[in-house]
């Protein structure tokens, strides 16, 4: 052991960021934060990890921890230090990341953030200063305030009926599987302070060894908030806080845990198109004859039940249309409404830039169930086309000013052995009737959007059945 | 380059990765979830990290932490989630962290619905969080722009050390269109202010707190100076504005509908044009003011109670009438509906 | 700062200007060699002082003190050059 015990190198020699006196902290006389700072700084020195340490300053009296610690510093929003710590640790797995938090910060506003960081087993070290009060804002009640303890927002003492019991953070977090080490210690007499010193070192050691999450809860004096002298305050920790918050190790798997090495992300920039499933062949549009005028630049609305493959049908048209060199757009009905209910999509194929992708006046309506036909029939432009599944819709469209094509798509699909490919039968019928897309283009593009490749041949068969039905 | 028929939401992720983004922190919400899903799929393939956070609050704070390390990182959400992120966004703006936030807007207020709205205009363009800050806000109106503007957002964020936002609506997020992906950014800029987990870090500090009012005012003045510089990044599209009497103004999916309106009415011989702000901040105020010199009236169309229209009115400054048409609740007006409105209210 | 006899005797130095007069060191010193001074320092606190004799170099006061730089403890056998 060093022969001289003095201010650690892991403190800035001069607190440049601080206004006023730059050689003393901003903490009140007798505040526990300062002592804990010293124990942490000493450990950073002794373990020689200062250079790669990044410290989260919370919101609370230790908001200015960054004045003092001569490390990489990030000041965090109230309660979110574990999330911020997660972010930076994921960028620098080899760094030593410390989340320093008070009880309001960690146990109240940031309650979920600490639980989730602990549960993910982030390889970070949390120093949790439990002083049973909101120090910084002037002594209001904290989640850890003792029953009966008077604060400025529990002026008659914390009442169980109104505010519930104090939150036991260490015990709670110890129920999780991931945390490696959780201990509660107290900054009281020399013996207990020495235990704090050891706990601080152990927690950091666990991170150095890449073993995972650790948290040290430190019962700590707030003489100002408690309205006591520093000496009284320490006694109060022993007499009252330690009764409510028993000291001890609540979780320690450090001996059995296997260290997982800190692997820094490798920035991969080669073969990105391949990795991102982006085709890197130059695009070449398929040439073909122009369809009859009334079928050009179609604006399609396709509608039916969820599960009928409505969206996929639209996609098939859009995908093949793109291959033909058309401008295309496809908009689905989206979200939970799709499930079990109706589904529809809007598809545009056009020779020029597509304005509204929303099809309010379709030139083609594909209706795969009766409600869809009833709902959208009126929207179709005069001279437009309505294709409907006549195996499910027993009344043909009433409109007399449009072209109507009924096809028993579901029946045909059923005969092929899979009712779910009725959409492809319709697709075949649509391209056969309008000659907007040659069969071969559809066949070539099917594999792009049909996820299960072994189903492609069956889908092609369905398309052909649709074509065949129309051509008869 | 190859062309791909792809959802706007997915184009964002591919664009981000091509821009060198390797960190994504998100939380599911319709209609933005495909962004997180695509990030979850692709990030690990390119040496990146995807993490589903416990909330939008956590995800923006993870982003804050990750961006402190000087890498390119992003998050995405939709309106209610963006509301939750606002405190963190303010911290990122105050600490001058270059992050990218995607907002695929949905109907509000409250839980509202998942249909497209544009009612987050104010909370993104005006700064929904506390403090005197500005976000760079880009408003794509196609899947192609979802990719291109995301890449631009990363570039501008780094260039100005400022958060940048992609503000799109549910339809632009959900819509599939062909996208031609540009070449990947090979190296992202070095950032000397960022933490690197090395001995130099002791000289660095990521923070937004400045207790001393004089110092905080100075910081604010510095930010305002920066914002003045960013004004040069204004982007917009004009369509038939040259000889127009009536100029329509709208962004996102609305601008697509307005495009149809212009096409239809031009065919009928009407002198109508479209100005589409691509950057909502910086706002094309100058261009609108110039148009105000020569045209007869403006019609602003938006999917909100009238948020963009305020900025247009400020730019026009009373010189010409600024008419307004809107839908709320997730309804996108049809071109015919807007044309009917024009015929009823706009006197030639 | 050179003090004769340093090698034989432990000692404690309190930087009065960094002391906040909390008294925790005084309370904790097992051999009672610290005391509250009558003077006021620049912050208006009564700083702790060393009686000048009897420090064992145990370090307890250092670890009770919340101020990083207020207390320096020299154990028996320390080397003067270490003081910076
Ligand atoms: C979002 C938000 N809410 C409230 C505050 C105000 N605030 C500052 S510190 C604090 C309490 C801190 O208490 P604690 O975490 O126990 O730290 P201590 O000061 O006791 O060390 C609060 C509520 C804030 N800064 N931000
Ligand atoms: S208020 Fe309490 S916690 Fe804050 S500095 Fe003072 S003593 Fe410490
Ligand atoms: S080092 Fe020990 S003996 Fe010396 S003054 Fe401090 S507490 Fe007392
Ligand atoms: S513990 Fe430190 S601050 Fe308190 S009286 Fe002693 S030297 Fe001064
Ligand atoms: Mg507290």
């Amino acid at each position: 052991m060093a022969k001289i015990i003095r201010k650690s190198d892991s403190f800035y020699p001069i607190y440049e960021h601080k206004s006023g006196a730059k050689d003393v902290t901003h903490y009140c006389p007798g505040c526990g934060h300062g002592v804990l700072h010293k124990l942490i700084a000493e450990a950073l020195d002794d373990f020689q990890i200062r250079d790669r340490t990044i410290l989260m300053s919370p919101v609370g009296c230790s908001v200015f921890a960054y004045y003092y610690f001569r490390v990489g510093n990030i000041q965090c929003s109230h309660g979110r230090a574990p999330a911020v710590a997660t972010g930076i640790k994921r960028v620098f797995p080899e760094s030593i990341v410390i989340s320093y938090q008070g009880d309001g910060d960690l146990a109240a506003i940031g309650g979920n953030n600490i639980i989730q960081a602990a549960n993910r087993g982030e390889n970070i070290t949390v120093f949790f200063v439990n002083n049973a009060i909101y120090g910084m804002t002037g002594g209001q009640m904290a989640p850890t305030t003792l029953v009966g303890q008077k604060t400025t927002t529990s002026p008659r003492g914390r009442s169980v009926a109104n505010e519930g019991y104090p939150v036991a953070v260490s015990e709670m977090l110890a129920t999780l599987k991931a945390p490696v080490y959780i201990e509660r210690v107290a900054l009281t007499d020399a013996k207990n302070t020495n235990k704090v010193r050891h706990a601080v070192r152990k927690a950091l050691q666990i991170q150095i060894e890449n073993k995972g999450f650790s948290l040290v809860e430190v019962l700590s004096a707030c003489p100002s908030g408690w309205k006591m002298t520093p000496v009284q305050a320490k006694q109060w920790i022993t007499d009252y806080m330690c009764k409510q918050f028993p000291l001890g190790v609540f979780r320690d798997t450090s001996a059995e845990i296997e260290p997982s090495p800190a692997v820094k992300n490798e920035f991969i920039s080669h073969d990105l198109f391949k990795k991102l499933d982006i085709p890197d062949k130059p695009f070449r549009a398929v040439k073909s004859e122009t369809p009859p005028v009334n079928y050009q630049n179609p604006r399609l609305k396709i509608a039916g039940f969820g599960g009928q493959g409505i969206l996929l049908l639209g996609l098939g048209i859009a995908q093949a249309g793109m291959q033909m060199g058309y401008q295309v757009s496809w908009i689905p009905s989206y979200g939970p409404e799709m499930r079990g209910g109706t589904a529809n999509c809007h598809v545009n194929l056009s020779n020029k830039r597509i304005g509204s992708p929303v099809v309010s006046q379709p030139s083609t309506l594909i209706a795969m169930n009766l409600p869809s036909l009833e709902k959208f029939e009126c929207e179709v432009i005069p001279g437009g086309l309505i294709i409907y599944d006549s195996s499910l819709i027993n009344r043909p469209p009433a409109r007399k000013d449009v072209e109507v094509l009924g096809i028993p798509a579901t029946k045909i699909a059923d005969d092929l052995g899979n009712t779910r490919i009725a959409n492809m039968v319709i697709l075949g019928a649509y391209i056969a009737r309008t000659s907007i897309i040659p069969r071969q283009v559809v066949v070539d593009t099917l594999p792009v959007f049909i996820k299960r490749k072994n189903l492609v041949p069956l889908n092609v068969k369905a398309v052909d059945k649709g074509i065949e039905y129309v051509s008869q | 380059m190859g062309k791909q028929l792809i959802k706007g939401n997915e184009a964002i992720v591919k664009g981000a990765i091509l821009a060198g983004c390797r960190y994504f922190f998100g939380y599911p919400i319709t209609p933005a979830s495909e962004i997180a899903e695509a990030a979850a799929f692709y990030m690990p393939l390119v040496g990146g990290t995807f993490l589903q956070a416990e909330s939008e609050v956590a995800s923006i704070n993870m982003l804050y932490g990750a961006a402190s390390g000087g890498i390119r990182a992003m998050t995405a959400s939709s309106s209610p989630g963006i509301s939750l992120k606002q405190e963190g966004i303010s911290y990122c703006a105050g600490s001058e962290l270059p992050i990218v936030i995607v907002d695929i807007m949905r109907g509000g207020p409250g839980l509202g619905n998942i249909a497209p709205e544009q009612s987050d205009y104010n909370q993104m363009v005006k700064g929904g969080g506390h403090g005197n800050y500005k976000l760079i806000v880009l408003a794509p109106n196609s899947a192609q722009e979802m990719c291109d503007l995301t890449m631009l957002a990363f570039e501008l964020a780094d260039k100005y050390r400022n958060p940048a936002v992609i503000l799109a609506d549910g339809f632009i997020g959900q819509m599939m269109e062909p996208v031609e992906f540009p070449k990947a950014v090979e190296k992202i800029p070095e950032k000397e202010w960022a933490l690197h987990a090395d001995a130099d870090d002791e000289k660095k500090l990521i923070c937004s707190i400045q207790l001393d009012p004089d110092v905080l005012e100075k910081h604010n003045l510095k930010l305002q100076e920066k914002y003045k510089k960013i004004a040069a990044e204004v982007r917009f599209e004009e369509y038939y504005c040259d000889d127009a009497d009536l100029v329509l103004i709208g962004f996102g999916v609305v601008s697509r509908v307005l495009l149809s309106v212009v096409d239809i009415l031009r065919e009928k011989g009407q002198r109508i044009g479209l100005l589409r702000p691509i950057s909502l901040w910086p706002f094309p105020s100058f261009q609108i003011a110039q148009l105000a010199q020569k045209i007869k009236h403006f019609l602003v169309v938006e999917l909100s109670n009238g948020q963009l229209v305020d900025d247009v009115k400020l730019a026009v400054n009373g010189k010409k009438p600024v008419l307004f048409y809107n839908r709320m609740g997730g309804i996108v007006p049809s071109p015919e509906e807007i044309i009917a409105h024009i015929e009823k209210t706009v006197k030639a | 700062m050179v003090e004769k006899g340093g090698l034989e005797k432990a000692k404690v130095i309190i930087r009065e200007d960094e002391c906040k007069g909390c008294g925790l060191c005084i309370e904790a010193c097992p051999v009672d060699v610290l005391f509250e001074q009558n003077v006021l320092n620049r912050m208006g606190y009564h700083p702790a002082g060393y009686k000048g004799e009897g420090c064992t170099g145990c370090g307890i006061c250092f670890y009770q003190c919340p101020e990083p730089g207020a207390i320096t403890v020299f154990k028996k056998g320390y080397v003067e050059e270490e003081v910076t």
Side-chain angles (χ1 to χ4, degrees):
Chain A
M1 233 219 191
K3 289 282 179 200
I4 300 178
I5 313 172
R6 62 175 159 203
K7 183 172 167 180
S8 299
D9 280 343
S10 293
F11 285 120
Y12 289 112
I14 299 164
Y15 310 139
E16 290 291 357
H17 288 294
K18 186 171 175 282
S19 54
K22 292 184 191 300
D23 52 357
V24 285
T25 67
H26 69 291
Y27 295 114
C28 307
C31 174
H33 280 299
V35 180
L36 182 58
H37 281 23
K38 285 168 76 173
L39 297 175
I40 295 169
E42 185 192 64
L44 300 183
D45 279 3
D46 292 351
F47 294 157
Q48 299 183 330
I49 50 176
R50 168 166 69 83
D51 282 356
R52 57 181 172 119
T53 294
I54 301 175
L55 181 109
M56 308 301 119
S57 298
V59 170
C61 281
S62 47
V63 63
F64 298 122
Y66 68 83
Y67 284 172
Y68 313 116
F69 286 101
R70 191 178 170 184
V71 298
N73 281 295
I74 304 180
Q75 199 291 312
C76 308
S77 60
H78 198 17
R80 314 306 171 197
V84 181
T86 298
I88 192 76
K89 182 75 181 188
R90 296 296 178 110
V91 175
F92 300 119
E94 72 284 11
S95 65
I96 300 298
V97 173
I98 296 173
S99 182
Y100 188 109
Q101 301 181 258
D103 44 8
D105 193 82
L106 181 143
I109 191 166
N112 194 28
N113 301 113
I114 190 65
I115 291 172
Q116 303 297 335
N119 192 54
R120 286 191 301 267
E122 297 294 340
N123 187 27
I124 61 172
T125 305
V126 181
F127 295 119
F128 166 42
V129 175
N130 177 355
N131 56 12
I133 204 147
Y134 284 17
M136 166 152 251
T137 38
Q140 295 85 4
M141 194 191 75
T144 44
T145 292
L146 304 191
V147 174
Q149 186 185 340
K150 286 187 179 162
T151 70
T152 56
T153 50
S154 57
R156 288 163 207 90
R158 180 181 189 146
S159 104
V160 171
N162 203 45
E163 288 104 8
Y165 291 97
V167 176
V169 169
S170 290
E171 286 86 338
M172 237 167 53
L173 293 181
T175 63
L176 300 173
K177 248 189 167 161
V180 174
Y181 169 58
I182 296 174
E183 179 167 3
R184 184 185 289 124
V185 288
L187 282 170
T188 53
D189 57 15
K191 198 168 134 229
N192 270 332
T193 302
N194 202 33
K195 281 192 183 159
V196 180
R197 185 169 177 271
H198 279 108
V200 164
R201 299 167 87 89
K202 175 161 180 167
L204 286 169
Q205 187 64 43
I206 285 167
Q207 185 176 174
I208 292 168
E209 290 169 9
N210 292 309
K211 285 185 171 169
F213 182 92
S214 56
L215 177 142
V216 180
E217 176 174 349
V218 182
L219 305 186
S220 170
C222 173
S224 302
W226 300 350
K227 302 188 172 48
M228 296 177 195
T229 67
V231 174
Q232 285 170 337
K234 284 223 156 156
Q235 196 56 45
W236 194 78
I237 298 177
T238 309
D239 294 348
Y240 295 95
M241 279 190 88
C242 288
K243 304 251 150 61
Q244 175 66 45
F245 300 112
L247 306 184
V249 176
F250 293 91
R251 196 172 171 86
D252 185 1
T253 58
S254 58
E256 61 257 37
I257 209 96
E258 279 299 317
S260 47
V263 192
K264 202 171 154 125
N265 283 2
E266 187 206 344
F267 186 92
I268 298 173
S269 61
H270 55 89
D271 291 339
L272 277 193
F273 273 36
K274 195 159 164 219
K275 294 196 167 69
L276 296 178
D277 300 318
I278 299 171
D280 50 9
K281 278 197 289 258
F283 176 81
R284 236 182 300 119
V286 180
K287 292 267 176 302
S288 99
E289 64 201 277
T290 19
V293 170
N294 57 322
Y295 298 133
Q296 286 174 16
N297 300 326
R299 298 173 62 75
L300 294 106
K301 189 172 264 182
I302 306 168
F305 293 125
Q308 280 184 311
I310 298 293
L311 303 188
L312 212 62
L313 167 52
L315 200 52
I317 296 171
Q319 188 75 53
M322 179 182 95
Q323 208 52 48
M324 301 289 300
Y326 289 115
Q327 310 269 337
V328 304
S329 71
W330 171 94
I331 292 190
S333 54
Y334 56 85
E337 64 170 306
M338 287 160 58
R339 284 161 215 138
T342 59
N344 67 66
C345 65
H346 304 213
V347 177
N348 285 284
L349 308 191
S350 180
N351 289 318
K352 39 176 229 164
R353 183 173 175 190
I354 293 168
S356 176
V358 184
V359 178
S360 45
Q361 300 186 341
S363 63
T364 298
L365 170 67
I366 295 177
M368 290 189 64
N369 65 7
L370 185 58
S372 299
L373 180 65
E374 287 177 334
K375 190 167 172 198
F376 299 120
E377 184 180 344
C378 59
E379 292 181 354
V380 180
I381 57 170
L385 168 66
I386 297 180
I387 301 177
Y388 70 102
D389 186 341
S390 59
S391 41
L392 299 181
I393 301 173
N394 50 17
R395 71 142 187 90
R399 290 272 299 265
K400 294 291 171 260
D401 59 344
V402 297
E403 179 190 351
V404 170
L405 169 62
I407 169 169
T410 302
K411 170 81 178 39
I412 294 171
D414 220 18
D415 292 344
L416 285 174
N418 188 341
T419 47
R420 298 177 58 111
I421 52 173
N423 55 351
M424 292 299 128
V425 177
I426 300 256
L427 176 55
Y430 172 68
I431 61 164
R433 172 56 60 95
T434 61
S435 43
I436 185 133
I437 304 161
R439 172 190 176 276
Q440 196 54 44
V441 176
V442 170
V443 171
D444 290 345
T445 47
L446 275 180
V448 179
F449 60 91
I450 290 180
K451 293 260 150 55
R452 285 173 53 195
K453 299 296 165 231
N454 57 332
L455 289 182
V456 170
L458 186 62
N459 278 270
V460 172
K461 230 184 240 169
V463 170
D464 283 337
K465 283 284 178 197
I467 295 172
E468 195 185 305
Y469 184 88
V470 171
S471 315
Q472 274 166 12
Chain B
M1 276 310 152
K3 233 197 237 186
Q4 187 168 37
L5 184 66
I6 188 173
K7 258 193 191 188
N9 279 346
E10 220 181 302
I12 281 181
V13 174
K14 295 189 182 183
I17 289 173
L18 292 174
C21 171
R22 292 294 183 275
Y23 289 84
F24 186 103
F25 303 95
Y27 190 83
I29 183 168
T30 311
S33 294
E34 294 86 356
I35 305 176
E37 289 163 1
F41 185 82
Y42 289 114
M43 279 300 178
L45 303 181
V46 294
T49 294
F50 166 84
L51 188 55
Q52 181 167 326
E54 58 268 28
S55 67
E56 288 84 353
V57 176
S59 59
I60 189 72
N61 282 286
M62 289 174 180
L63 193 54
Y64 179 83
S68 300
I71 46 69
R72 285 188 167 172
M74 72 183 294
T75 185
S77 188
S78 177
S79 312
I82 296 293
S83 300
L84 268 178
K85 286 183 195 291
Q86 288 293 0
E87 184 202 27
I89 294 174
S90 170
Y91 272 68
C92 290
S95 309
E96 297 189 81
L97 289 181
I99 56 167
V100 171
I101 307 154
V102 178
D103 179 5
I104 309 295
M105 293 179 281
R106 56 186 258 179
L111 198 48
N113 65 22
I114 57 171
E117 250 198 22
Q118 297 179 324
S119 46
D120 290 3
Y121 182 92
N122 279 349
Q123 78 157 332
M124 283 318 217
V125 175
K126 308 288 175 177
H130 57 289
N132 313 301
Y133 71 87
K134 280 287 179 191
L135 306 172
I136 298 166
V137 184
L138 306 175
N141 80 346
S142 63
Q144 183 69 53
E145 281 193 354
M146 288 291 245
C147 165
D148 296 348
L149 294 185
T150 298
M151 295 184 75
L152 177 65
F154 278 104
E155 198 186 304
L156 294 180
D158 273 349
K159 181 169 171 193
Y160 295 101
R161 227 189 125 174
N162 203 70
V165 172
I166 297 295
L167 189 64
D169 51 78
F171 272 169
I172 299 299
Q174 295 295 324
M175 179 169 60
M176 283 180 108
E177 285 184 323
V179 172
E180 286 184 55
F181 288 95
K183 262 182 52 194
V185 172
E186 283 188 2
K187 212 166 158 280
I188 63 169
E190 295 281 342
K191 293 157 193 170
E192 91 288 340
W193 53 265
L195 298 173
H196 292 112
D198 62 21
D200 252 12
D201 277 5
E202 68 174 74
K203 300 187 198 98
K204 297 165 186 170
L205 171 62
I206 306 296
C207 92
S208 60
I209 184 171
Q210 295 292 355
L211 267 201
D212 183 339
D214 287 327
V215 178
L216 185 55
E217 185 177 54
K218 243 187 225 146
H219 179 59
N220 267 286
L221 287 171
K222 191 188 112 190
L223 290 180
Q224 302 309 314
E225 276 309 307
K226 176 172 87 173
Y227 299 152
K228 275 188 208 147
K229 284 200 195 107
I230 300 178
E233 302 290 350
V234 72
R235 282 167 172 80
F236 58 94
E237 180 193 352
E238 280 182 315
Y239 189 62
Y240 286 113
C241 283
D242 283 348
D243 65 339
D245 291 332
L246 169 65
V247 166
L248 309 175
I249 300 182
F251 70 98
V253 72
V254 171
S255 67
R256 297 284 296 262
V257 179
L258 297 181
L259 207 76
S260 294
V261 171
V262 172
D263 283 346
I264 295 167
L265 292 182
R266 276 276 163 187
E267 217 153 276
K268 293 186 183 169
Q270 296 193 21
R271 283 145 64 110
I272 184 168
L274 165 67
L275 184 129
R276 167 171 81 99
I278 296 172
S279 57
L280 297 175
W281 193 84
F283 192 70
S285 308
F286 178 75
Q287 291 68 28
I288 292 174
Q290 293 232 304
L291 280 178
Q293 313 264 18
K294 52 180 199 179
I295 70 153
K296 289 193 180 143
H297 22 228
F298 293 96
L299 171 63
V300 176
V301 182
E302 47 180 322
L303 309 183
S304 75
N305 59 341
Q307 304 187 10
L308 162 72
V309 68
D310 288 346
D311 280 336
V312 173
K313 281 182 177 163
L314 281 172
V316 173
N317 201 14
K319 291 211 174 67
K320 293 288 158 61
V322 176
L323 309 167
F324 176 59
Y325 187 72
N326 70 324
R327 295 301 301 261
M328 293 178 282
I331 296 165
V332 179
S334 65
E336 298 74 27
E337 178 182 341
I338 294 170
I339 290 168
H341 179 80
I342 291 172
E343 279 163 2
K344 210 169 69 201
T345 57
V346 183
K347 306 278 170 281
Chain C
M1 173 202 313
V2 176
E3 212 174 282
K4 286 207 179 86
L7 285 167
E8 289 97 63
K9 266 201 291 182
K11 68 171 180 182
V12 60
I13 290 179
I14 295 172
R15 290 205 178 81
E16 289 176 16
D17 269 351
E18 296 184 31
C19 169
K20 286 180 178 160
C22 69
L24 291 174
C25 56
I26 302 170
E27 172 83 8
C29 174
V31 291
D32 204 16
V33 295
L34 300 175
F35 72 107
E36 184 185 308
Q37 301 191 58
N38 240 334
V39 293
L40 290 175
N41 69 5
R42 58 175 180 169
M43 296 182 281
Y45 295 121
H46 290 290
Y50 175 38
K51 290 178 183 167
E53 271 313 314
C55 171
T56 64
C58 70
I60 285 176
C61 56
F62 179 89
Y63 291 108
Q64 289 289 311
C65 175
E67 272 307 312
I71 295 182
T72 310
V73 175
F74 299 78
K75 294 182 184 246
K76 200 172 152 195
Y78 67 89
V79 184
E80 285 294 345
E81 293 82 63
E82 282 191 53
V83 186
T84 48

